[in-house]
Amino acid sequence: MRVFGVDPGLTRCGFGVVDGGPGRTVRCVAVDVVRTPVDADLAVRLLLLSDEVERWLERHRPDVVAIERVFSQHNVRTAMGTAQASGVVALAAARRDLPVVFHTPSEVKAAVTGSGRADKAQVTAMVTKLLGLKTAPKPADAADALALAICHHWRAPMRNRLEEAQRRADELARTHRARIAEAAAKQGGGR
Amino acid sequence: MRVFGVDPGLTRCGFGVVDGGPGRTVRCVAVDVVRTPVDADLAVRLLLLSDEVERWLERHRPDVVAIERVFSQHNVRTAMGTAQASGVVALAAARRDLPVVFHTPSEVKAAVTGSGRADKAQVTAMVTKLLGLKTAPKPADAADALALAICHHWRAPMRNRLEEAQRRADELARTHRARIAEAAAKQGGGR
C-alpha cells in the first residue's frame, strides 16, 4: 500500500509518500514542502496548491490520501486557511476516486512516538529513524506529512477491522429489525 | 456585472446569482440551496459541491464570485466543514480565472439592512424587497447567498476606489523611495 500524507497549509503544505513493506516496515518514496505566496489572493493560493497535489497524485499514484485533521486553534485566520487547504487536497483525491482519511495530530504523534503529546523534535527524530533516512526531513511540515503517512499505514489494519465489525453489527441489526417487522405483520394479519 | 453569491456549507450551501442594473437596482437571476448527504465521506461531499459549483459557473457565467467569510464559531466541526466548502468554491472560481471576494456576515447584513447585527428574518425581508421577489427565498442560506451578491454589487465601486487609492499611494511611496536612494547615491559618490 502506498500512502500520500498531507500536512495541510497555505504558506507551507507538507507532502510525504510512504510505502508499506512486510510487517511494520515503511519506506519513504518522496517528501517535500509546497509553498504558496503569502501576498497572493486566497483563491489563487488554493489553485496553486491544488495543481501541485494533482501533480503528486499523478506522479506517485498513492492508494490512499491521509490528511491531518484541522482543529480551530489560537489563530482563527490560520486555522481557516488550513481547513480550506485540506478541503482542496481532499477534493483532488475524491476526483480520482481515492479514499481520503483524516487523522488528528495526537493520533499521528502517538503512532510514531508512543505519546500523543510528543513535541516536533521527537516526531522528526522518530520519522527519520522509522524510515531509515540519512538526514532529518525539514521543515517540520515535511516530517509531519511523513508521520501522517506512517500513522495511516499502522492504523489502517485496525480501522479496517473496526469497520468490518461495524458493518456486521449493522447487518445483524437490520436482520433483527426485519424479523420484528415480519412478526408484527403476521400478528396484525392474524387479528 | 453578474455576481455569484455563495453562503458556503456542506449540509446546505446557498447559491444566488444577481445582476446589477442602473443605479442601485439588482435583479435575481437564480437562487437555490445545494445539499450533500450528511452520512457521506467528507471528500465525497466536497466533490459533489464542487461539481455543482462548476455547473452554476458554466450555466450563469458570473463576472465575480462573492463568498461569505467563515469565522470559527461555537461549533468547531461545522466551522471547519464550512471553511473546506468555501475553499472548494474559491478553487472552482480560480480555475476559471474569476475574481473571488470574501465578505463578512456583518458586512453583508449592513449592506442590505443597514445594521451589521440584523437577524435572519430582517435579511430575508430586505433581500425579497430589494430584488422585487414575489415570495421570500427559503431557506435562510438561499436568502444569505442573494444578500452576499447584493452586498458585493454595492460594495464593489467603493472597493475599487479604495484599491485605486492604495495603488496610487504605493506608487508615490515607490517614487519617493527611489528619489531618496538616488540622492543618497549622489551624496555617496560626492564624498
Side-chain angles (χ1 to χ4, degrees), chain A residues 160-174:
Chain A
N160 293 347
R161 279 203 299 278
L162 276 173
E163 279 173 14
E164 183 52 34
Q166 186 62 48
R167 249 195 306 277
R168 263 185 245 151
D170 289 348
E171 205 180 301
L172 278 173
R174 256 197 310 277

Side-chain angles (χ1 to χ4, degrees), chain A residues 19-128:
Chain A
D19 278 353
R24 287 168 78 84
T25 57
V26 279
R27 190 178 69 85
C28 176
V29 176
V31 61
D32 204 357
V33 165
V34 169
R35 296 162 204 269
T36 69
V38 179
D39 54 354
D41 276 343
L42 173 62
V44 172
R45 300 180 79 181
L46 292 170
L47 182 58
L48 291 169
L49 175 62
S50 176
D51 286 348
E52 202 55 45
V53 172
E54 283 180 6
R55 266 194 288 276
W56 276 62
L57 293 176
E58 183 61 33
R59 195 183 303 149
H60 299 293
R61 310 264 169 179
D63 300 300
V64 56
V65 178
I67 308 178
E68 188 167 295
R69 190 180 290 282
V70 185
F71 285 106
S72 178
Q73 300 137 342
H74 327 292
N75 189 334
V76 172
R77 207 185 166 83
T78 310
M80 290 298 125
T82 309
Q84 288 168 324
S86 79
V88 160
V89 174
L91 175 67
R95 282 217 186 288
R96 289 179 171 251
D97 255 334
L98 287 176
V100 178
V101 185
F102 291 84
H103 296 289
T104 66
S106 55
E107 282 167 355
V108 175
K109 288 174 188 173
V112 298
T113 73
S115 160
R117 283 179 291 172
D119 63 15
K120 291 207 171 285
Q122 216 178 328
V123 170
T124 299
M126 282 308 295
V127 164
T128 311

Side-chain angles (χ1 to χ4, degrees), chain B:
Chain B
M1 184 170 71
R2 174 167 287 187
V3 180
F4 181 25
V6 179
D7 182 23
L10 283 174
T11 307
R12 283 187 312 277
C13 188
F15 284 3
V17 179
V18 173
D19 277 353
R24 285 168 78 83
T25 57
V26 279
R27 191 177 68 85
C28 176
V29 176
V31 60
D32 204 358
V33 165
V34 168
R35 295 162 205 270
T36 70
V38 179
D39 54 353
D41 276 344
L42 173 63
V44 172
R45 299 181 79 181
L46 291 171
L47 182 58
L48 292 169
L49 176 62
S50 176
D51 286 348
E52 200 57 44
V53 171
E54 283 182 3
R55 267 195 287 276
W56 275 62
L57 293 176
E58 183 61 33
R59 195 182 302 149
H60 298 294
R61 309 265 170 178
D63 300 301
V64 55
V65 179
I67 308 178
E68 189 166 293
R69 189 180 291 282
V70 185
F71 285 105
S72 178
Q73 299 136 342
H74 327 291
N75 189 333
V76 173
R77 207 187 166 82
T78 309
M80 290 298 124
T82 308
Q84 288 167 324
S86 79
V88 159
V89 174
L91 175 67
R95 280 214 187 291
R96 289 178 171 249
D97 255 335
L98 287 177
V100 179
V101 185
F102 290 85
H103 297 289
T104 67
S106 54
E107 281 168 354
V108 175
K109 287 174 188 171
V112 298
T113 73
S115 160
R117 283 181 290 173
D119 63 15
K120 288 208 171 286
Q122 216 178 327
V123 170
T124 300
M126 282 306 295
V127 164
T128 311
K129 192 195 280 187
L130 294 165
L131 294 169
L133 302 174
K134 281 177 191 158
T135 54
K138 274 183 196 171
D141 314 75
D144 282 348
L146 292 172
L148 249 155
I150 298 172
C151 168
H152 186 73
H153 272 290
W154 292 351
R155 285 176 64 94
M158 191 182 71
R159 281 180 77 100
N160 293 347
R161 279 202 300 277
L162 275 173
E163 280 172 15
E164 183 52 32
Q166 186 63 50
R167 249 195 307 276
R168 261 184 247 150
D170 288 349
E171 206 180 302
L172 277 173
R174 256 197 310 277
T175 315
H176 187 63
R177 273 197 303 271
R179 277 188 200 151
I180 289 174
E182 204 181 316
K186 269 188 197 164
Q187 269 202 335
R191 255 177 216 158

